[in-house]
Amino acid sequence: MKNKKVRLLIFGGSGQIGSRAKILLAQKYKVITPSHQQVDITNQATVVRAISFLKPAIIIHTAAMTDVDGCELNPYHAFLTNVKGTEAVARACNLVGATLFFLSTDYVFDGTKGSPYVEEDTPNPLSAYGRSKYEAEEYLKSHAYSVWIIRSSWLFGQNGRNFFRAI
């Protein structure tokens, strides 16, 4: 009998988290990482078509506009990518019954707490980036059937813009 792996789709598969997740998860899952050119997450029809065709059981959504300064300069693009793109992915997940893992950020908080934040703390984003990710979170909490929201801080990795390269 052939060993059939569960399909896992990663949006943002060439980024720091997506590329590493692909390597780590390839042993257990059939990992699919479409490029931005193959599936533009800001195009609802393209996302639905791709997910309906691929029928993944799990989707890891790491695709985003993460350049904080760039988001301030172009808040519309941040909103389009981070909010509308996430909405499109969530709707398509719901159509096929896929579980969605969404990568958010600690930028949903204002940084004034003085101690580590926990899930129950009230977000208060101060930047366009933080607002766009928080708005995406809020959409997911009320519209996605099966979703995990993961908030991260600075990323450490071998590729892309990361903590070590920034410092």
Side-chain angles (χ1 to χ4, degrees), residues 16-57:
Q16 279 188 71
I17 293 177
S19 61
R20 189 67 183 154
K22 180 180 180 178
I23 293 167
L24 294 173
L25 297 168
Q27 294 291 326
K28 185 173 181 179
Y29 300 95
K30 177 176 177 29
V31 180
I32 305 158
T33 55
S35 69
H36 173 74
Q37 290 74 26
Q38 292 169 315
V39 181
D40 176 359
I41 63 164
T42 65
N43 183 317
Q44 173 77 43
T46 302
V47 173
V48 168
R49 197 168 31 254
I51 291 175
S52 295
F53 175 75
L54 296 169
K55 293 182 179 45

Side-chain angles (χ1 to χ4, degrees), residues 89-135:
V89 171
R91 286 186 194 111
C93 281
N94 290 344
L95 288 174
V96 299
T99 296
L100 175 62
F101 290 85
F102 172 69
L103 190 73
S104 189
T105 178
D106 63 341
Y107 275 76
V108 301
F109 299 115
D110 60 18
T112 62
K113 183 177 176 188
S115 61
Y117 284 95
V118 296
E119 292 85 356
E120 292 79 21
D121 288 332
T122 303
N124 184 32
L126 301 178
S127 65
Y129 171 63
R131 285 188 299 274
S132 69
K133 295 300 266 186
Y134 179 61
E135 193 169 332

